[in-house]
Amino acid sequence: SSSDERQLDTATAVGFDDKIEFGSYHMLYFVDDKLMMVGVVDILPHCLSSVYLFYDHAYSFLSPGRWSALEEINLTRALHARIPDLRYYYLGYYIHSCPKMRYKAAYGPSELLCRETLTWRSFAECAALLELDARVTRFAPAEVPRSTEFGDEGGHVSDEQVLQVPMALPVGGNTTMAIPLMQWLVFLEGRVDEATFLGYVAEFVQCVGTTLGKRLKVQVFN
């Protein structure tokens, strides 16, 4: 763990207290009592997220990435036995055109998230589309509606949603306070083209989604 060290059996999750705390953990791997790699994982309500791995290259012949992935899958299964809702192993972002990420496709069955519909699709289904166009973002069939998280069916975000985006207003030093964009515009005093700026913010909300757009505090620098 980030705050303490404890012996953990990844096959049984023995080593945790009765209550498993969500958060970030370091998984330490030893060979002959020598630390050879460290895996960083997040234990979340619905998944174990594999964040990062670093290792001593003298042990590259042991395939550290594959070893850690299998141990993390083991741990996911053990955690699922104790927390039924925790049932996924998350390998993070996948870029089909990046050779260093292709290893993620070796573990299955796996799924990729369709960005437009926010539905999970089988990797085999997505891979066929990615082979045709590595930049494709929609994996779901046309009949699956676009998620309103990213605007309406035309991909548009309403003016009201844009004007409610929290903006960071400097209040001294490195401290900022969040105020809605429509109030923040008052402080611009005509220094920017309002229509153009609102277009930028609307594009931002389309990218991150309306839920996250309400939680992020946007700061603009000169």
Side-chain angles (χ1 to χ4, degrees):
S1 153
S2 56
S3 59
D4 60 61
E5 290 188 15
R6 60 188 111 178
Q7 295 294 315
L8 173 66
D9 182 346
T10 57
T12 62
V14 170
F16 283 103
D17 298 328
D18 290 338
K19 181 180 179 181
I20 297 174
E21 295 185 3
F22 299 133
S24 297
Y25 290 83
H26 293 129
M27 296 178 65
L28 311 182
Y29 297 79
F30 294 86
V31 172
D32 295 331
D33 295 325
K34 180 181 178 181
L35 180 65
M36 57 83 61
M37 69 176 175
V38 178
V40 182
V41 299
D42 287 340
I43 297 180
L44 304 171
H46 299 286
C47 74
L48 177 79
S49 176
S50 183
V51 179
Y52 199 71
L53 177 75
F54 51 96
Y55 58 89
D56 184 338
H57 283 268
Y59 294 94
S60 294
F61 68 95
L62 292 176
S63 299
R66 183 175 301 173
W67 179 8
S68 66
L70 293 176
E71 290 289 354
E72 290 168 4
I73 291 171
N74 244 351
L75 179 57
T76 304
R77 288 173 171 169
L79 291 171
H80 172 62
R82 297 178 59 177
I83 308 174
D85 285 344
L86 197 162
R87 52 193 296 261
Y88 298 104
Y89 176 51
Y90 181 61
L91 280 164
Y93 290 108
Y94 177 78
I95 301 176
H96 195 64
S97 58
C98 178
K100 290 185 177 181
M101 288 197 176
R102 289 292 181 100
Y103 77 92
K104 297 183 180 184
Y107 305 95
S110 60
E111 299 173 321
L112 293 180
L113 182 67
C114 173
R115 175 178 167 182
E116 293 192 13
T117 64
L118 294 188
T119 58
W120 292 92
R121 319 302 300 186
S122 73
F123 178 80
E125 177 185 352
C126 301
L129 296 172
L130 289 167
E131 286 295 333
L132 297 175
D133 183 359
R135 298 168 299 177
V136 68
T137 59
R138 185 184 180 95
F139 301 128
E143 60 268 20
V144 179
R146 178 185 175 92
S147 171
T148 55
E149 169 70 13
F150 296 97
D152 60 26
E153 281 298 307
H156 302 295
V157 177
S158 71
D159 291 342
E160 182 180 354
Q161 289 173 320
V162 173
L163 290 172
Q164 292 302 317
V165 170
M167 301 295 293
L169 178 68
V171 293
N174 294 322
T175 305
T176 61
M177 64 178 291
I179 62 172
L181 173 59
M182 60 183 182
Q183 295 180 22
W184 185 86
L185 287 172
V186 175
F187 295 92
L188 291 180
E189 300 177 352
R191 286 176 290 172
V192 298
D193 183 283
E194 185 171 313
T196 300
F197 186 76
L198 290 174
Y200 290 147
V201 178
E203 184 177 355
F204 163 76
V205 176
Q206 285 178 325
C207 289
V208 303
T210 53
T211 300
L212 189 57
K214 293 176 184 177
R215 296 172 57 190
L216 293 173
K217 188 165 60 172
V218 180
Q219 186 165 5
V220 178
F221 298 91
N222 293 329

